[in-house]
Amino acid sequence: MLSTTPTPPGWYIGRPFLYHERNEWQQYAFDPAERAVVGVRRRERTAIAATEVAVVRQMPRCQREISQGRVPK
């Protein structure tokens, strides 16, 4: 059963995708209110795992870090 951790207010969580070069799954979360400088964001989190299911299960940990303020302001 997947976690029901709510998405932190204002944050966007993308779809899981397979990063072929590294043979790993990734899922990206970021604050779209932050102005990115040449594509670089400070307020972001990326979950990485070997399978799609594992990366989706890891994202709630990233969401908890965001909710607890463990990302740059």
Side-chain angles (χ1 to χ4, degrees):
M1 182 172 170
L2 297 177
S3 173
T4 58
T5 303
T7 302
W11 280 71
Y12 171 80
I13 297 180
R15 297 177 69 155
F17 65 94
L18 178 59
Y19 188 2
H20 291 283
E21 292 82 13
R22 294 185 179 178
N23 196 31
E24 65 188 15
W25 283 86
Q26 296 185 3
Q27 189 173 21
Y28 186 69
F30 68 95
D31 181 357
E34 176 191 15
R35 291 180 51 101
V37 177
V38 190
V40 177
R41 292 185 180 275
R42 291 181 50 221
R43 294 177 51 79
E44 67 181 12
R45 285 291 182 260
T46 303
I48 301 171
T51 66
E52 183 177 13
V53 170
V55 81
V56 169
R57 287 183 174 159
Q58 185 163 345
M59 183 48 74
R61 180 190 58 80
C62 294
Q63 291 174 289
R64 282 190 298 277
E65 288 180 0
I66 294 165
S67 295
Q68 294 170 0
R70 294 189 207 157
V71 294
K73 298 286 184 218

